[in-house]
Amino acid sequence: MRDNHRFRMADGAELVGRQTESFEMRVSIPSDDNGFFGRQCPECSLIFRMDAQQYEALPDDLTLWCVYCGHYAEHSEFMTEQQRDRIMQAAGDFAMQMVSQELDKMFGGLARSSHSDCVSFSYESRPFYPRPLPGIDEERLVRVRTCGGCQNNYAVFGEHRYCPVCGQLPAASVAFDALQADTARLDVLEALPSDTKAVLREQGVFTRNWVDTVENVVGVVEALASSLFHAAVPNANSLLNGKGAIFQRLDPMADLIIDAGFSDVRTALGPQTWQHLLGTWAARHVFTHNDGIVDAKYLTRVPNSSARMGQRLVLTDADCRRALDDAKTLCEALVNALS
């Protein structure tokens, strides 16, 4: 192309078209070692990553979803700051050459200096050499997720609810991902050096994390059960009328599902696992509503507990891992029952 010879472009930038005085420039966006590149939400400013090869195959008029907040907009709106800096530098170097060439046209045929009583100026034309474009050094992906609907791969760096291509994720995907995140948090704390663990343990970090895990488990199951029930039962709202937070209570939830014409999730889990879950739910209740102090209601729900009235319940890493495993089994049973 003739314009390619008129303008020097840095590696990664090229002119690909022109219409009268309008130029079209293409600037490459490097992928990481795994073939992923960044997208940044224009609303919440958080970054996620997408498979570059899959992205190229998507429609040109693609609308992207932020995996975190659900904001959706034309895909070019999701440019990261580093990508924008790279493009702006290429555009700036091109603009400098445009200005320089216009000045050459204006002053190229004149003497290099001119004097009068009022004006003195000089002009010297110099060759322009573009600067190397800045690279992209954004947060590296940790784990690749694959959307069960569109099969596109993406990576996130926090809790998320959306696929960047097709939007709202299925409730089951969100639930299992949340349980895995809690397991990862337990693993990270256990992998810390002994000296660091000792300091954190003394400050109550481990205890707080175990309590949070139990509370999260109940929240994950509640959200999944509610979503699945509403999707599967046409008259869900009328059946739930007056029943309060029924998905926070295991046996009433199981009975509700049976009354709606579905199978009993207790049978799928077995009595031992169900009893462990009842203990987890009871523990969550006393920590949420009674600062962990054992009361009569807890002892009624967990009759085999060795705790006494008025004592503060103590959780362990093993308790939390068992609760997470049991919750995963319950989530699978809920999906099977209500699908």
Side-chain angles (χ1 to χ4, degrees):
M1 181 185 298
R2 185 180 62 182
D3 289 321
N4 284 343
H5 300 293
R6 289 179 55 202
F7 300 99
R8 291 187 173 97
M9 308 300 294
D11 288 343
E14 63 174 328
L15 296 176
V16 296
R18 178 179 181 178
Q19 293 182 350
T20 60
E21 296 303 314
S22 176
F23 291 85
E24 181 181 354
M25 179 189 301
R26 179 181 294 130
V27 180
S28 65
I29 303 298
S31 301
D32 62 23
D33 294 340
N34 301 99
F36 282 68
F37 76 111
R39 299 280 78 185
Q40 185 170 16
C41 175
E43 178 68 20
C44 69
S45 299
L46 297 178
I47 290 179
F48 55 97
R49 300 184 71 76
M50 297 183 67
D51 184 299
Q53 189 172 7
Q54 291 180 336
Y55 191 87
E56 282 294 322
L58 294 171
D60 291 338
D61 59 350
L62 172 67
T63 296
L64 277 186
W65 296 71
C66 172
V67 298
Y68 308 107
C69 72
H71 176 78
Y72 59 96
E74 204 273 332
H75 68 98
S76 63
E77 297 294 317
F78 285 80
M79 193 181 305
T80 70
E81 292 181 9
Q82 291 188 29
Q83 292 166 359
R84 187 173 290 107
D85 290 344
R86 181 178 172 90
I87 292 171
M88 292 305 295
Q89 180 171 305
D93 286 349
F94 173 72
M96 286 290 293
Q97 294 179 78
M98 288 280 290
V99 171
S100 178
Q101 291 181 17
E102 289 301 313
L103 289 173
D104 284 344
K105 292 177 183 178
M106 293 172 62
F107 300 115
L110 299 178
R112 291 303 179 186
S113 64
S114 175
H115 299 277
S116 71
D117 292 339
C118 300
V119 177
S120 175
F121 68 88
S122 63
Y123 175 75
E124 180 181 358
S125 178
R126 296 180 179 179
F128 181 88
Y129 297 99
R131 300 161 292 172
L133 297 181
I136 305 293
D137 185 21
E138 295 168 343
E139 190 169 5
R140 299 293 190 265
L141 60 85
V142 177
R143 179 166 65 92
V144 176
R145 290 163 168 82
T146 302
C147 176
C150 66
Q151 299 302 307
N152 278 282
N153 298 323
Y154 63 97
V156 299
F157 305 99
E159 193 173 47
H160 73 295
R161 294 290 184 271
Y162 304 88
C163 163
V165 177
C166 57
Q168 182 73 50
L169 290 170
S173 296
V174 173
F176 290 123
D177 197 72
L179 295 176
Q180 188 170 17
D182 271 304
T183 301
R185 189 170 56 174
L186 293 175
D187 292 341
V188 167
L189 284 176
E190 281 301 312
L192 292 172
S194 298
D195 291 347
T196 304
K197 288 171 67 174
V199 173
L200 296 178
R201 187 176 293 110
E202 188 275 332
Q203 294 177 342
V205 173
F206 280 81
T207 303
R208 184 67 257 171
N209 184 53
W210 294 332
V211 173
D212 288 347
T213 299
V214 166
E215 291 178 339
N216 290 345
V217 161
V218 176
V220 167
V221 171
E222 178 187 12
L224 175 62
S226 176
S227 179
L228 292 174
F229 190 82
H230 278 89
V233 181
N235 61 332
N237 289 332
S238 62
L239 290 177
L240 294 170
N241 188 34
K243 289 184 168 57
I246 191 170
F247 296 108
Q248 285 185 5
R249 307 191 302 275
L250 287 177
D251 279 317
M253 177 188 73
D255 292 337
L256 173 70
I257 293 172
I258 293 173
D259 292 342
F262 300 93
S263 60
D264 189 346
V265 294
R266 289 168 292 206
T267 302
L269 270 67
Q272 186 176 16
T273 299
W274 191 256
Q275 188 58 49
H276 278 295
L277 285 166
L278 290 173
T280 297
W281 261 241
R284 175 262 176 193
H285 187 272
V286 297
F287 278 110
T288 301
H289 300 288
N290 203 29
D291 192 32
I293 304 301
V294 174
D295 55 15
K297 183 179 292 186
Y298 175 84
L299 294 176
T300 299
R301 293 176 176 174
V302 192
N304 59 347
S305 173
S306 60
R308 296 182 179 181
M309 186 90 70
Q311 288 182 338
R312 194 167 191 273
L313 200 62
V314 175
L315 296 174
T316 66
D317 180 85
D319 292 332
C320 292
R321 292 183 186 276
R322 177 60 189 263
L324 287 164
D325 288 342
D326 291 343
K328 181 180 178 182
T329 303
L330 175 55
C331 288
E332 291 170 346
L334 288 168
V335 171
N336 291 333
L338 293 169
S339 295

